[in-house]
Amino acid sequence: MTLVVAYFLVRWAIGFVEWGIVNAVWSVPNNQTQACRDLRGVGACWAVITEKHRFILFGTYPYEEHWRPALCVLLFVGLYVVSAMRRFWRPGLAFVWIGVLTLIGVLMWGGVFGLSYVPQERWGGLVITLILATFGLALAFPLAILVALGRRSKLPAIKALCVLTSS
């Protein structure tokens, strides 16, 4: 079994190198992406990344304000790193989360402290992905525990409700 798995890993690695490096398009003249379309999936189109990196990272957030979502990404990374270290697992960590999430909200929306207001429709990219992932996990985990406990309940109505919501 080990040899079979090793064979498929090596085969996958070779295919990935061919797709991602050997057959890839790294740049296109004058932002003409026809070369990428001509590949039809045979190789990666890294030229799109160089052309669209600002949109990928910041969405349609105003160009002169890109420092704000970039700072928010760094704040999120800092929160994740601190939360992953066991020595910081204290009740005060919840207050740090609340404070940093408030700061992220102020930075993203603006309208105070001399920051220009940016509506949510202009948000996008990496920062909105981190916001949605953070709140999605923070809300889904406790809900999942409640549903799991409800499924073990002796009360038929609660058990039926939890079984129906989890299926």
Side-chain angles (χ1 to χ4, degrees):
M1 194 62 164
T2 302
L3 291 175
V4 171
V5 170
Y7 168 76
F8 282 114
L9 281 175
V10 168
R11 191 165 172 199
W12 173 84
I14 291 171
F16 182 77
V17 167
E18 285 179 359
W19 174 82
I21 298 172
V22 176
N23 296 329
V25 174
W26 295 92
S27 63
V28 290
N30 301 324
N31 293 329
Q32 298 296 320
T33 57
Q34 187 59 39
C36 291
R37 289 188 198 96
D38 292 341
L39 284 177
R40 301 204 185 277
V42 174
C45 184
W46 301 116
V48 172
I49 303 297
T50 58
E51 180 184 336
K52 303 285 187 190
H53 72 281
R54 286 199 181 276
F55 183 73
I56 292 168
L57 292 175
F58 305 113
T60 59
Y61 210 83
Y63 178 78
E64 61 280 353
E65 301 289 332
H66 278 184
W67 66 271
R68 289 163 48 184
L71 181 59
C72 290
V73 168
L74 292 176
L75 288 170
F76 268 119
V77 170
L79 275 177
Y80 298 151
V81 168
V82 166
S83 297
M85 290 189 247
R86 189 173 212 112
R87 65 177 167 220
F88 294 113
W89 292 0
R90 292 181 176 74
L93 184 60
F95 294 113
V96 170
W97 269 88
I98 291 169
V100 172
L101 290 176
T102 303
L103 177 61
I104 288 171
V106 167
L107 281 171
M108 290 300 292
W109 267 298
V112 292
F113 305 121
L115 298 172
S116 62
Y117 173 75
V118 179
Q120 284 178 295
E121 293 81 28
R122 301 289 309 269
W123 299 10
L126 180 58
V127 72
I128 198 72
T129 301
L130 293 174
I131 290 170
L132 291 174
T134 299
F135 282 99
L137 287 170
L139 298 175
F141 184 70
L143 182 63
I145 288 176
L146 286 176
V147 170
L149 290 173
R151 290 183 73 159
R152 301 198 36 95
S153 174
K154 301 277 189 231
L155 301 171
I158 291 177
K159 186 173 186 170
L161 181 65
C162 291
V163 169
L164 288 174
T165 58
S166 65
S167 54

